[in-house]
Amino acid sequence: MYSEILVPTDGSKAAERAIDHALDIAETYDARIHALYVVDTSIYTSLDAGADVVIDALEREGDAATRHVREAAEEAGIDVQAEVVTGTAYRSIREYIDDHDIDLVVMGTHGRTGLSHYLLGSVTERVVRTSPVPVLTIRLDDEDEDEADADESADAEAEE
């Protein structure tokens, strides 16, 4: 049923939960996992100076996130392919689906609603609406969401 499973990752707790589900499905169907991290360059095009530094940092973050998926898949004996690409997140995911004959996408969602959803948008929502293949979304439960929010707050404070 499924032979090529795409797991877009951003290294978040929501992505972590999606990875676990994708590995279970891949093991069941003897499928290959594709780990994808998109460096969304559209956000940084207005930066005159320093954009290269930010993009380089995001590419390193992407390498770490996809390496994590690769290691988890290899540990489980699952064939895996990992890639870091640049572009608009949902469009790059759609292109990857088409270019690699993906038949299932498993991705995390933060479950934002209201103003934060409106302001931040949702890559997952856009993928769900435009994907030619099934998309399994894995939402953080309330406990994980609170923990993720606390981690984000701590990260923001550490950067200041």
Side-chain angles (χ1 to χ4, degrees):
M1 178 173 266
Y2 302 115
S3 59
E4 306 292 332
I5 300 171
L6 175 60
V7 182
T9 183
D10 59 4
S12 68
K13 290 211 181 288
E16 281 293 313
R17 287 185 45 97
I19 293 164
D20 292 341
H21 286 270
L23 292 173
D24 283 346
I25 295 167
E27 199 166 33
T28 300
Y29 291 101
D30 194 28
R32 176 184 306 145
I33 292 284
H34 294 256
L36 179 67
Y37 183 99
V38 180
V39 176
D40 195 338
T41 55
S42 65
I43 298 170
Y44 305 103
T45 56
S46 63
L47 291 177
D48 290 332
D52 290 341
V53 173
V54 172
I55 291 170
D56 286 345
L58 290 172
E59 286 174 345
R60 285 192 303 276
E61 183 178 295
D63 288 338
T66 56
R67 182 175 50 252
H68 173 71
V69 177
R70 186 174 46 247
E71 290 169 354
E74 288 172 351
E75 186 176 305
I78 297 168
D79 190 22
V80 62
Q81 180 175 333
E83 193 169 339
V84 176
V85 300
T86 58
T88 304
Y90 80 95
R91 286 187 185 122
S92 296
I93 293 167
R94 278 290 318 273
E95 288 172 14
Y96 195 95
I97 291 168
D98 294 338
D99 293 347
H100 295 86
D101 295 322
I102 300 299
D103 33 44
L104 176 67
V105 178
V106 181
M107 60 192 304
T109 182
H110 296 281
R112 291 186 179 100
T113 59
L115 185 59
S116 66
H117 173 75
Y118 176 76
L119 293 174
L120 297 173
S122 172
V123 171
T124 303
E125 183 179 335
R126 287 181 178 174
V127 172
V128 166
R129 281 193 275 156
T130 63
S131 176
V133 300
V135 179
L136 174 61
T137 60
I138 308 300
R139 187 179 188 284
L140 288 177
D141 59 30
D142 291 339
E143 184 177 305
D144 287 337
E145 185 99 16
D146 292 341
E147 187 178 316
D149 289 343
D151 288 348
E152 288 175 14
S153 295
D155 289 345
E157 288 175 15
E159 290 175 6
E160 291 175 359

